[in-house]
Amino acid sequence: MLLFAITLTSCTFTENIYLNEDGTGKFSIDMDGSGLMAMIPEDSIKTQKAVDTTFSFKDLFAGKSDSISKLPKADQDRLKKLENFSVRTKMDPTDKQFIFSMFTDFKNVGDLQDALATMNQAKGSSKDADNPLLAAGGIGSNNSDLKYTYDGKKFTRKATVLKKEILEVENDSAEAYKMIFESSTYVIKYHFPKRVKKVSNSTALFSEDRKSVTIEYPFSEYMENPDKLNFEVEFEK
């Protein structure tokens, strides 16, 4: 009965980008899993204490320097690209709240590509629990390569589905995400320094000043058809 309830409980995943005129900005992926917390029996969490912690990957990797030194050079280079990311986890059993956030500042929105690719690849990189790559696994691989571009006139979000021989999503992992997050939502919220003229996605919602865009998708779409989340934003002159 509990399993059935969990499958009907939704989480909200939000991809945020705050973009400045010069191309710098802030990026985050947030998960609100409070709906899942609400389904856990009171007796199971009554002894749990509230948690609100934040750590940076740079500090995490510093504590695993011995393990990292044993990784192939390519893996070490990929981890280096994640050092500017931080993670916040907030769980309050009393208020039935569970929030997970992974965030970073960036100098160029195109620089996010390598870091996100590392998170995607981390899911299948190793079964070794001591492998630091596993800590960078994000919210689950959707077997895609995500790129952002911004030239002052247009902004694009483009996910390219990878071939199975390049990156294979583990069936067990994919099925678990599909079952638990079947009714969940993936929300894209982008905030720009200019007024938006148009967006190639007809379901996009605009803020009153037309500088922010919000688009919602089923989470299953993000996992199974990531290229359907592609779109282009054109700005007013």
Side-chain angles (χ1 to χ4, degrees):
M1 184 68 178
L2 177 60
L3 178 61
F4 176 73
I6 288 178
T7 61
L8 296 181
T9 302
S10 65
C11 294
T12 300
F13 298 83
T14 306
E15 177 185 316
N16 293 289
I17 289 181
Y18 292 83
L19 192 62
N20 300 317
E21 184 74 39
D22 62 359
T24 63
K26 298 179 181 295
F27 170 87
S28 71
I29 293 181
D30 308 321
M31 184 192 80
D32 185 346
S34 301
L36 290 176
M37 286 287 292
M39 300 308 301
I40 300 177
E42 290 284 349
D43 291 344
S44 300
I45 58 175
K46 63 181 180 181
T47 60
Q48 295 288 328
K49 295 182 179 180
V51 174
D52 190 349
T53 62
T54 301
F55 69 87
S56 69
F57 277 117
K58 185 174 183 178
D59 291 341
L60 176 68
F61 296 156
K64 293 179 176 290
S65 56
D66 289 342
S67 298
I68 291 175
S69 66
K70 298 174 184 177
L71 293 175
K73 181 64 164 56
D75 284 352
Q76 293 185 43
D77 290 342
R78 289 207 301 270
L79 287 175
K80 188 74 176 176
K81 295 169 182 175
L82 285 175
E83 286 188 340
N84 290 331
F85 275 79
S86 295
V87 172
R88 182 188 181 192
T89 302
K90 182 178 182 181
M91 183 178 70
D92 190 327
T94 302
D95 294 337
K96 304 290 187 180
Q97 184 181 46
F98 176 62
I99 306 292
F100 172 88
S101 181
M102 186 177 293
F103 55 94
T104 187
D105 293 339
F106 58 82
K107 294 181 179 179
N108 185 308
V109 71
D111 295 340
L112 292 172
Q113 176 189 346
D114 290 337
L116 295 176
T118 295
M119 293 179 193
N120 234 353
Q121 294 165 10
K123 294 295 290 184
S125 64
S126 173
K127 299 298 183 182
D128 182 0
D130 197 40
N131 189 331
L133 275 171
L134 294 182
I139 61 172
S141 170
N142 63 359
N143 200 36
S144 71
D145 181 21
L146 179 59
K147 295 181 180 179
Y148 304 97
T149 64
Y150 172 71
D151 62 5
K153 298 179 180 179
K154 291 182 180 180
F155 174 95
T156 62
R157 181 192 194 278
K158 184 176 182 180
T160 303
V161 178
L162 301 176
K163 295 180 180 179
K164 288 186 178 180
E165 56 265 28
I166 298 177
L167 178 61
E168 184 174 350
V169 179
E170 297 180 28
N171 290 332
D172 291 345
S173 175
E175 286 302 314
Y177 274 98
K178 184 176 181 180
M179 178 181 68
I180 297 175
F181 301 120
E182 186 174 11
S183 59
S184 296
T185 304
Y186 194 87
V187 182
I188 289 176
K189 290 186 176 182
Y190 292 166
H191 312 271
F192 301 107
K194 302 179 179 181
R195 286 174 57 86
V196 174
K197 180 180 179 181
K198 61 181 179 180
V199 179
S200 60
N201 186 307
S202 61
T203 65
L205 300 177
F206 300 91
S207 61
E208 188 173 348
D209 63 3
R210 290 190 70 88
K211 289 186 177 181
S212 296
V213 173
T214 301
I215 308 176
E216 292 190 9
Y217 302 88
F219 186 71
S220 57
E221 198 96 299
Y222 166 82
M223 291 298 294
E224 299 170 11
N225 302 292
D227 52 337
K228 289 189 176 181
L229 279 66
N230 296 350
F231 61 90
E232 181 179 276
V233 177
E234 185 177 336
F235 302 104
E236 294 182 0
K237 295 181 179 179

